[in-house]
Amino acid sequence: MDITFFDKGIETLPREKLRLVQEEKLAAMLDTVYGTNRFVTGKLDASGAAPRDVRTLEDLAGLPFTTKAELMAAQAQGPLSTNCTFPEAAYTRVHQTSGTTGPPLRVFDTVESWDWWGRCWGFVLAGAGLTASDRFFVPFSFGPFIGFWAALGGAKRIEALMVPGGGRTSAQRLQLMADMAVTAMACTPTYALRLIEVAREEGFDLSTIPMRITVHAGEPGASVPATKSRIEEEWGARCYDHAGASEVGAHSFECQAQPGGTHVIDSEFIIEVVDPVSGRPVRPGDEGELVITNLGRVGFPVIRYRTGDVVCVNDSPCPCGRTFTRFDGGVIGRVDDMVVIRGVNIYPGAVENLVRRHDAVDEFRVTISRQRELSAILIEIECREGADTQATVRAVQKTFESSLGLRPEVNAVERDSLPRFELKAQRFFVA
Ligand SMILES: [Zn+2]
């Protein structure tokens, strides 16, 4: 396979040169924001840091972290967040977080920083193999949630034909994809699975859509092996993971070598991996919380932002030839989502991976109840029409026993009784 790049020169730059690129951009960003951005200036002054002396990655590690709570507080200061570096006239876009876990955070972009978002998506889409010959469908309701808005900028950069998919039902979207002979799409992994289910219900033949590439964000699913292989089999396409967040930007992507994880766009972000409790760097190769400094969003920057995402850096070279940092397994989960059941550390992605191995399961919900020291796990599964539900219940139980040494309670529920999602799914609950 020919590996496609967005900017091959930068994507294959030796690490020491990449580091110089990062340090140069960091210094330029700090020079602009310090003194003009009230939020950043206040934070740095309070910490006693001397930002004009910050020139290296080691210097950066001496600056304080930024948290979502701080950005929310900066937002509460007025119509514009105090994290805006420039006067209001400079801003051309406002978006917000999905609000699945609390009130939405608004983020502001200038012409330059919105263009930068598009550049980052260029790395994502070219990394998955999209070219100017692709017809790229985005089944997303283009509202205030930032979601896949920036994917449009990426498609423009690589000159693919963008087919917007908002304002219609799933069945209508499938028909539009077939009519337009769509070859690529971007959505959450949950929604790619939902479209498969709708196609089956409607008697729609997915093979009438010449799909070859699917790109997924918003959830770890595309790096969850069982979810990935189900999407790939049903769509007859290669499925790629991508991670980003409103607060920081579109920061990582999966390449065509598909080594079982993602690359960080090191030319646009500086990442650190820290112990979520102590805040100190973890040993190379250990799991920890992802901390990000973005380098292209000077109008609304984040410096050492605590993402709450758990990642694990793999330093070995990637067969694709990129020198960009790799995350094993993409974003593994959220720091807050890890539960310990009888001494076993479990993330929702690991549970999803075990449930999704069973083709008969269309949707599921996991409830973990904590009773004193013991935790119990309940998995409700919704099986597809005609499936042997009791056999599936036993099979799911068995998978958990052999993989995790746990025996969950598994209940089959009526069809269409569990919620369906177009964006981020909520399938995990701790009671
Ligand atoms: Zn690679």
Side-chain angles (χ1 to χ4, degrees):
M1 176 194 295
D2 277 345
I3 301 283
T4 53
F5 292 87
F6 177 64
D7 185 341
K8 189 170 182 182
I10 203 93
E11 289 176 82
T12 55
L13 207 60
R15 296 282 322 163
E16 60 277 12
K17 290 199 173 149
L18 260 179
R19 179 193 169 99
L20 295 177
V21 169
Q22 291 177 318
E23 291 178 340
E24 195 174 306
K25 289 188 180 182
L26 174 67
M29 188 258 280
L30 286 170
D31 284 348
T32 306
V33 302
Y34 185 66
T36 51
N37 181 307
R38 276 168 56 204
F39 170 72
V40 171
T41 306
K43 257 181 83 70
L44 295 185
D45 284 350
S47 75
R52 298 205 197 276
D53 296 338
V54 174
R55 288 298 174 263
T56 66
L57 301 189
E58 289 75 19
D59 297 340
L60 173 67
L63 298 184
F65 291 120
T66 302
T67 65
K68 183 155 185 182
E70 289 174 318
L71 292 178
M72 291 303 293
Q75 169 171 305
Q77 304 284 313
L80 269 194
S81 167
T82 55
N83 190 36
C84 287
T85 306
F86 307 115
E88 182 169 347
Y91 293 87
T92 54
R93 319 260 334 185
V94 58
H95 292 282
Q96 64 185 37
T97 54
S98 60
T100 38
T101 54
L105 173 76
R106 287 188 295 278
V107 293
F108 297 83
D109 281 289
T110 60
V111 169
E112 292 76 19
S113 69
W114 193 243
D115 196 49
W116 172 80
W117 269 96
R119 174 173 166 78
C120 294
W121 265 92
F123 285 101
V124 175
L125 297 180
L130 261 82
T131 69
S133 310
D134 279 297
R135 295 177 169 207
F136 177 53
F137 189 70
V138 188
F140 172 65
S141 295
F142 288 89
F145 170 45
I146 201 160
F148 293 92
W149 272 106
L152 311 192
K156 183 176 151 194
R157 291 295 196 108
I158 61 168
E159 299 181 13
L161 181 67
M162 221 299 282
V163 183
R168 56 205 55 234
T169 64
S170 295
Q172 289 169 331
R173 283 170 169 162
L174 288 168
Q175 192 55 51
L176 181 59
M177 277 191 260
D179 293 346
M180 296 294 295
V182 160
T183 58
M185 77 169 166
C187 61
T188 62
T190 287
Y191 194 58
L193 294 170
R194 175 66 186 148
L195 286 172
I196 293 166
E197 199 187 358
V198 171
R200 204 169 54 233
E201 286 165 4
E202 302 275 329
F204 180 93
D205 180 2
L206 275 185
S207 73
T208 58
I209 302 171
M211 190 69 75
R212 65 183 201 96
I213 294 166
T214 66
V215 177
H216 302 291
E219 301 169 326
S223 279
V224 171
T227 302
K228 187 186 203 70
S229 66
R230 189 184 289 197
I231 293 171
E232 292 194 329
E233 275 165 31
E234 301 267 1
W235 281 98
R238 297 280 297 274
C239 157
Y240 292 89
D241 194 13
H242 154 56
S246 316
E247 301 89 325
V248 295
H251 59 75
S252 51
F253 66 97
E254 186 174 356
C255 66
Q256 290 160 292
Q258 296 193 306
T262 50
H263 284 285
V264 179
I265 309 172
D266 287 320
S267 56
E268 315 300 328
F269 300 89
I270 297 171
I271 63 118
E272 300 166 73
V273 184
V274 305
D275 180 301
V277 179
S278 70
R280 284 197 287 274
V282 299
R283 286 176 308 185
D286 279 358
E287 279 183 15
E289 182 180 353
L290 174 63
V291 171
I292 293 187
T293 300
N294 56 16
L295 299 170
R297 201 191 210 181
V298 178
F300 196 89
V302 283
I303 296 167
R304 305 195 78 212
Y305 181 73
R306 301 282 298 249
T307 63
D309 286 334
V310 178
V311 295
C312 175
V313 169
N314 180 338
D315 269 336
S316 58
C318 185
C320 76
R322 285 181 180 81
T323 48
F324 282 180
T325 303
R326 287 167 60 188
F327 290 148
D328 260 343
V331 170
I332 299 162
R334 302 276 305 159
V335 171
D336 298 341
D337 285 348
M338 194 193 78
V339 290
V340 183
I341 303 178
R342 293 177 194 134
V344 184
N345 293 1
I346 299 175
Y347 287 104
V351 174
E352 173 174 340
N353 191 35
L354 298 180
V355 178
R356 291 279 188 220
R357 283 187 200 169
H358 301 273
D359 283 344
V361 179
D362 268 341
E363 193 51 82
F364 66 98
R365 179 165 61 196
V366 177
T367 311
I368 291 159
S369 42
R370 292 210 173 97
Q371 297 167 335
R372 284 176 300 201
E373 302 300 297
L374 282 180
S375 296
I377 177 165
L378 165 69
I379 303 173
E380 294 164 282
I381 57 172
E382 199 182 299
C383 293
R384 69 176 57 171
E385 206 75 58
D388 181 340
T389 51
Q390 283 320 305
T392 308
V393 164
R394 285 193 298 275
V396 170
Q397 242 162 5
K398 222 168 165 178
T399 303
F400 276 80
E401 276 181 45
S402 57
S403 302
L404 297 176
L406 300 171
R407 191 182 169 82
E409 184 182 346
V410 181
N411 291 339
V413 298
E414 298 261 305
R415 269 209 68 75
D416 296 323
S417 60
L418 296 178
R420 298 298 197 270
F421 306 92
E422 290 204 359
L423 285 165
K424 301 185 189 202
Q426 286 180 299
R427 299 192 181 94
F428 294 86
F429 300 89
V430 177

